[in-house]
C-alpha cells in the first residue's frame, strides 16, 4: 500500500484541525515539513489530529499556538517535530490516547509557554475502555513554562518509557 503524503506547507489556522487524519481509511499517512500556526481567525486548538489507523509517520513539522492530538494510532512514528503552545488553551500540547500500542515519539520538542496558561505539556491517557500501551518517548525535550504545574501525566495506560528525555519546568 502506498502511503498518503500530507504536506500543506504553511497554514495559519481555521475552524478545524489544519491536518486531520481522522478515519484515513486504513491508509498510512506521512505528515511532514508543515508549518502550522494560530491565525487571526483560528477557532480550532488542534494543529494535527490523528484518529485511528496504524503506522503513520509525523515528522519535521512546526506547530505554534495549537496542539498535536493522537488518538488510537498503532505503531505511529512521531519525530523531529517542534510544538509550542503559546496561546491560552486548556488542552495538553501533546495528547496520546485511545488504543495506541507501539506509539514511538522521538527527537521532538514540546513546549507550553507561560502565555498558554495552566495545563499539561504531555498527556498519555486511557479514553473510554481503550488505553495506550508500549509508549516510548526517546530523546525528546518537554518544557513546562507555567510555574508549579506538571509537565507529563499518564493515566490508565499499560507501559510508558521516557528514555534520554529532558523534562523541564519552572519552579
Amino acid at each position: 500500500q502506498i502511503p498518503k503524503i500530507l504536506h500543506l506547507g504553511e497554514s495559519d489556522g481555521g475552524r478545524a484541525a489544519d491536518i486531520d487524519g481522522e478515519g484515513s481509511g486504513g491508509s498510512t499517512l506521512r505528515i511532514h515539513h508543515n508549518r502550522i500556526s494560530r491565525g487571526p481567525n483560528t477557532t480550532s486548538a488542534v494543529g494535527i489530529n490523528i484518529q485511528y489507523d496504524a503506522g503513520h509517520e509525523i515528522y519535521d513539522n512546526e506547530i505554534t499556538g495549537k496542539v498535536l492530538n493522537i488518538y488510537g494510532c498503532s505503531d505511529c512514528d512521531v519525530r523531529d517535530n517542534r510544538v509550542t503552545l503559546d496561546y491560552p488553551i486548556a488542552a495538553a500540547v501533546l495528547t496520546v490516547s485511545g488504543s495506541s500500542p507501539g506509539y514511538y515519539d522521538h527527537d521532538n520538542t514540546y513546549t507550553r509557554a507561560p502565555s498558554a496558561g495552566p495545563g499539561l505539556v504531555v498527556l498519555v491517557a486511557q479514553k473510554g475502555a481503550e488505553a495506550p500501551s508500549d509508549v516510548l518517548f526517546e530523546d525528546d525535550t518537554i518544557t513546562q513554562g507555567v510555574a508549579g504545574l506538571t509537565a507529563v501525566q499518564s493515566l490508565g495506560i499499560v507501559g510508558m518509557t521516557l528514555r534520554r528525555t529532558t523534562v523541564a519546568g519552572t519552579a
Side-chain angles (χ1 to χ4, degrees), residues 34-122:
N34 295 288
R35 292 186 61 167
I36 298 169
S37 61
R38 184 167 200 82
N41 300 311
T42 299
T43 57
S44 172
V46 181
I48 298 176
N49 182 50
I50 298 295
Q51 292 192 9
Y52 294 112
D53 292 327
H56 300 320
E57 293 179 72
I58 303 169
Y59 59 95
D60 285 330
N61 297 287
E62 185 175 328
I63 302 172
T64 305
K66 294 184 139 198
V67 301
L68 177 56
N69 183 55
I70 309 290
Y71 178 81
C73 189
S74 303
D75 301 312
C76 282
D77 183 8
V78 179
R79 67 185 181 278
D80 299 312
N81 299 289
R82 290 153 311 287
V83 185
T84 302
L85 187 58
D86 59 0
Y87 188 83
I89 298 170
V93 177
L94 168 67
T95 300
V96 179
S97 61
S99 180
S100 298
Y103 176 82
Y104 183 35
D105 192 292
H106 57 104
D107 301 298
N108 296 294
T109 300
Y110 299 108
T111 304
R112 184 176 202 93
S115 57
L120 296 165
V121 182
V122 173

Side-chain angles (χ1 to χ4, degrees), residues 131-157:
S133 59
D134 303 315
V135 174
L136 174 59
F137 288 91
E138 188 170 59
D139 298 313
D140 287 338
T141 300
I142 300 168
T143 305
Q144 173 61 277
V146 181
L149 294 183
T150 301
V152 179
Q153 185 175 54
S154 61
L155 301 166
I157 68 165

